[in-house]
Amino acid sequence: MKLEKIHTHDLNLYYGSNHALKNVSIGIEENKITSLIGPSGCGKSTFLRTLNRLNDTIDNVRIEGDVKIDGINIYDKNVDVVALRKRVGMIFQKSNPFPKSVFENVAYGPRINGVNKKKELEEIVETSCKRAAIWDEVKDRMNDSAMGLSGGQQQRVCIARALAVDPEVLLMDEPASALDPIATAKIEELMFDLKNNLTIVIVTHNMQQAARVSDKCAFFLSGEIIEYTSTTNMFTNRKHEKTQNYISGRFG
């Protein structure tokens, strides 16, 4: 039996009077890559942000329904949001390294969590950079500013920074949309390696990318999930006319 890492039930989200997510119920399997596709403004990124409570930072947001990770509702009032975001990392569309050295970027999370010994930090940074497939490119540039790296390298440093606190889930919001094809291929290859130890949820506008990297695929439209199935089915045997119209390029 495939294990569900994340399960949402009747999830509704409102920005003021705008009903942005409508009765979203979905099970996301452990150690799989699940892609969220759909036109701009359909609720993909909003849904992604519910999975580590990033929408909490936006005024006038109201959330109803359940979001469970390992069976625990993350919106329960007893949940420690800082601990949750350690377990559920986030990679944004635009790489956002801190204006610090490569080393300090990756060491940031462990330091906040109380790791102060130099040798231990060095081991965590090296391991995280290796997991993010960036070590060979930055091992001699650890004291250089991360801002001086290429866009693709910056994004992998951001992934290393997320991995340094050993998350269980990685949320990726269009992680390669600002990158060239070679850097994009590196990020995609990296995702395949990471899913051995992580559950990955990716928002992408790039249909080819969804087809290449994901195991399962959810098609969002106007805040609702229209279809959720294996990626193979989504691209070869979809059931809904709206999905067919979107994937064949009739709208979106």
Side-chain angles (χ1 to χ4, degrees), residues 52-219:
N52 70 346
R53 292 187 51 171
L54 267 184
N55 291 309
D56 289 17
T57 61
I58 301 168
D59 289 340
N60 217 10
V61 162
R62 182 162 56 91
I63 293 171
E64 298 167 351
D66 289 347
V67 179
K68 291 184 176 177
I69 297 180
D70 293 333
I72 309 276
N73 185 7
I74 64 170
Y75 284 88
D76 190 277
K77 61 179 185 296
N78 300 321
V79 166
D80 179 338
V81 178
V82 174
L84 169 70
R85 290 185 188 142
K86 183 182 168 194
R87 291 175 63 205
V88 185
M90 183 89 172
I91 304 298
F92 296 93
Q93 181 172 0
K94 188 175 185 317
S95 57
N96 58 343
F98 303 136
K100 299 171 180 275
S101 69
V102 172
F103 183 90
E104 287 303 331
N105 263 273
V106 183
Y108 181 81
R111 277 194 201 281
I112 283 182
N113 288 307
V115 179
N116 292 309
K117 291 186 176 148
K118 187 165 184 286
K119 185 157 178 29
E120 194 177 347
L121 280 171
E122 285 173 348
E123 285 172 2
I124 292 170
V125 168
E126 181 174 340
T127 301
S128 303
C129 286
K130 283 178 174 170
R131 286 182 73 196
I134 187 69
W135 175 249
D136 288 343
E137 293 163 61
V138 297
K139 64 184 178 189
D140 300 321
R141 302 175 67 181
M142 277 288 147
N143 296 318
D144 296 355
S145 170
M147 311 302 276
L149 300 173
S150 72
Q153 288 172 327
Q154 285 186 18
Q155 191 66 302
R156 278 179 287 138
V157 165
C158 291
I159 292 170
R161 187 175 68 198
L163 294 175
V165 294
D166 208 18
E168 299 161 31
V169 177
L170 200 55
L171 310 177
M172 306 181 94
D173 194 354
E174 305 252 12
S177 66
L179 305 180
D180 63 65
I182 291 169
T184 296
K186 285 187 175 172
I187 298 281
E188 290 180 3
E189 202 175 306
L190 171 57
M191 289 166 66
F192 281 118
D193 291 338
L194 291 176
K195 78 169 179 178
N196 293 315
N197 304 101
L198 286 164
T199 302
I200 297 175
V201 188
I202 175 174
V203 165
T204 180
H205 268 105
N206 184 326
M207 224 85 72
Q208 288 78 19
Q209 183 173 67
R212 282 193 301 266
V213 303
S214 62
D215 302 289
K216 296 197 79 175
C217 189
F219 169 53

Side-chain angles (χ1 to χ4, degrees), residues 40-51:
S40 294
C42 67
K44 307 182 298 292
S45 292
T46 296
F47 174 73
L48 196 72
R49 292 164 69 95
T50 65
L51 304 181

